[in-house]
Amino acid sequence: AQSVAQPEDQVNVAEGNPLTVKCTYSVSGNPYLFWYVQYPNRGLQFLLKYITGDNLVKGSYGFEAEFNKSQTSFHLKKPSALVSDSALYFCAVRDTAGGFKTIFGAGTRLFVKA
Amino acid sequence: DGGITQSPKYLFRKEGQNVTLSCEQNLNHDAMYWYRQDPGQGLRLIYYSQIVNDFQKGDIAEGYSVSREKKESFPLTVTSAQKNPTAFYLCASSSGTGTDTQYFGPGTRLTVL
């Protein structure tokens, strides 16, 4: 069965510092991996996805994520955090061997302090 | 929030009432989804539809019902059988291919009085 874990409920970082939000996954086949961001009382917005190819994926708002097959991880990163990056971040995985369903992690809340 | 609209934004329900949440998309997407979001639990799939006039139960379908009579619309009814319906409900759509991205509506917050 497919699953996704976000081991940190909250990440705190100072503005201008690099940020990392962690995600690990478990699938039977090959994974399709996604990151979404949610601002208060809003829907989720797509940031980036990994399907195949280059392990470093670049997305919206300066975010990027690195796919690591051996560690089954897909950590979200940004070189320099902004206060406006403060939000709830979700990692999601779809198993290519598992059909149609996408599984979402529990979310990580990012706080960026000025 | 793309081309997906949800209404109402806030909804209050009395015990024993059925309520219907609206979801409309103008993205010409084949697939549509309903998720429930509770604090600390991420998103849980209620129902999904890959094509008009067809839908499947997700992980927490009990107490909910849906219809998919039009490609653009995927309404969700929260019935009185749903014992704890207070939550944030999110609708999403996608093109329906294996690698597709889901696009989300702004959500409906349902509160049981």
Side-chain angles (χ1 to χ4, degrees):
Chain A
Q2 62 193 81
S3 65
V4 59
Q6 295 182 240
E8 301 156 316
D9 292 335
Q10 183 171 312
V11 170
N12 298 312
V13 64
E15 188 174 34
N17 284 0
L19 70 87
T20 299
V21 182
K22 296 180 180 177
C23 173
T24 59
Y25 66 89
S26 175
V27 296
S28 300
N30 292 316
Y32 296 149
L33 293 154
F34 304 81
W35 275 103
Y36 291 85
V37 60
Q38 185 181 35
Y39 297 98
N41 296 310
R42 301 290 299 276
L44 277 65
Q45 296 178 29
F46 169 72
L47 282 178
L48 51 81
K49 67 181 177 183
Y50 171 82
I51 303 300
T52 187
D54 193 347
N55 289 344
L56 184 64
V57 179
K58 294 188 183 296
S60 305
Y61 312 119
F63 284 95
E64 58 189 28
E66 186 168 13
F67 171 63
N68 188 316
K69 188 172 184 177
S70 63
Q71 296 185 7
T72 61
S73 68
F74 189 56
H75 300 332
L76 181 70
K77 300 180 180 183
K78 187 174 182 181
S80 179
L82 299 172
V83 172
S84 57
D85 292 330
S86 298
L88 186 58
Y89 290 81
F90 289 97
C91 181
V93 64
R94 176 180 294 170
D95 188 347
T96 58
F100 192 73
K101 197 164 65 174
T102 300
I103 300 296
F104 287 81
T108 298
R109 190 164 298 281
L110 173 67
F111 285 103
V112 181
K113 294 176 65 175
Chain B
D1 298 327
I4 302 178
T5 58
Q6 290 185 243
S7 62
K9 187 174 178 66
Y10 298 97
L11 185 58
F12 299 91
R13 191 194 93 170
K14 294 180 181 178
E15 295 280 353
Q17 270 186 335
N18 293 353
V19 292
T20 297
L21 284 59
S22 171
C23 177
E24 304 276 335
Q25 56 100 358
N26 62 3
L27 300 170
N28 199 33
H29 283 166
D30 286 317
M32 297 187 75
Y33 315 77
W34 273 105
Y35 293 93
R36 171 177 170 145
Q37 184 178 16
D38 296 283
Q41 293 195 43
L43 275 66
R44 292 183 289 169
L45 183 65
I46 305 172
Y47 269 97
Y48 65 96
S49 168
Q50 295 178 257
I51 198 169
V52 175
N53 293 321
D54 187 49
F55 50 82
Q56 287 79 40
K57 293 181 179 179
D59 298 320
I60 56 165
E62 184 175 353
Y64 300 98
S65 65
V66 294
S67 63
R68 186 86 188 276
E69 298 177 359
K70 299 187 299 182
K71 187 175 186 178
E72 302 80 17
S73 178
F74 191 42
L76 173 75
T77 296
V78 184
T79 75
S80 57
Q82 171 49 238
K83 298 307 178 187
N84 185 23
T86 294
F88 192 51
Y89 290 87
L90 288 162
C91 178
S93 71
S94 71
S95 61
T97 64
T99 62
D100 60 339
T101 299
Q102 294 185 27
Y103 293 91
F104 286 80
T108 292
R109 186 166 297 280
L110 173 63
T111 302
V112 174
L113 301 175

